Amino acid sequence: MWQGQDKTWLHYVKDIIAADVYSAVFLASYLRQMTLRRSYVPALEVIDLQKYRVINEPRKVNHALRERMSIPFVFVVGKN
């Protein structure tokens, strides 16, 4: 895929790594839209070791991301 092409990966703000400026701008705008719409929440789970439970429902995950993330032993994981 990258044979014959000399690509230099550059590190931009907000931990974006891309081969050119246009790719970095596209990725930054995509991440911004994902953050604003919170459309990534259905792909996450919150594991709360203090209450011994796993939160799967997107509405409750969104609430836990806002309220419980400052509490120790509360972890966010991807549903993979």
Side-chain angles (χ1 to χ4, degrees), residues 66-77:
R66 283 187 278 118
E67 302 294 328
R68 301 204 45 89
M69 291 314 300
S70 61
I71 300 172
F73 300 110
V74 176
F75 304 101
V76 178
V77 296

Side-chain angles (χ1 to χ4, degrees), residues 4 7 9-10 12 23 33 38 41-42 45-46 62 75 80:
K7 296 286 184 183
W9 294 91
L10 300 173
Y12 296 95
S23 298
Q33 287 297 325
R38 293 214 182 244
V41 171
E45 290 179 333
V46 175
N62 195 11
F75 304 101
N80 293 15

Side-chain angles (χ1 to χ4, degrees), residues 7-55:
K7 296 286 184 183
T8 303
W9 294 91
L10 300 173
H11 188 242
Y12 296 95
V13 295
K14 295 187 180 181
D15 293 329
I16 294 176
I17 299 174
D20 58 354
V21 175
Y22 300 110
S23 298
V25 169
F26 173 76
L27 184 57
S29 64
Y30 178 74
L31 289 174
R32 183 173 183 275
Q33 287 297 325
M34 292 292 286
T35 303
L36 289 176
R37 295 182 184 193
R38 293 214 182 244
S39 57
Y40 58 88
V41 171
L44 297 176
E45 290 179 333
V46 175
I47 298 174
D48 190 350
L49 294 180
Q50 289 187 344
K51 294 185 176 182
Y52 298 108
R53 66 180 188 166
V54 177
I55 303 170

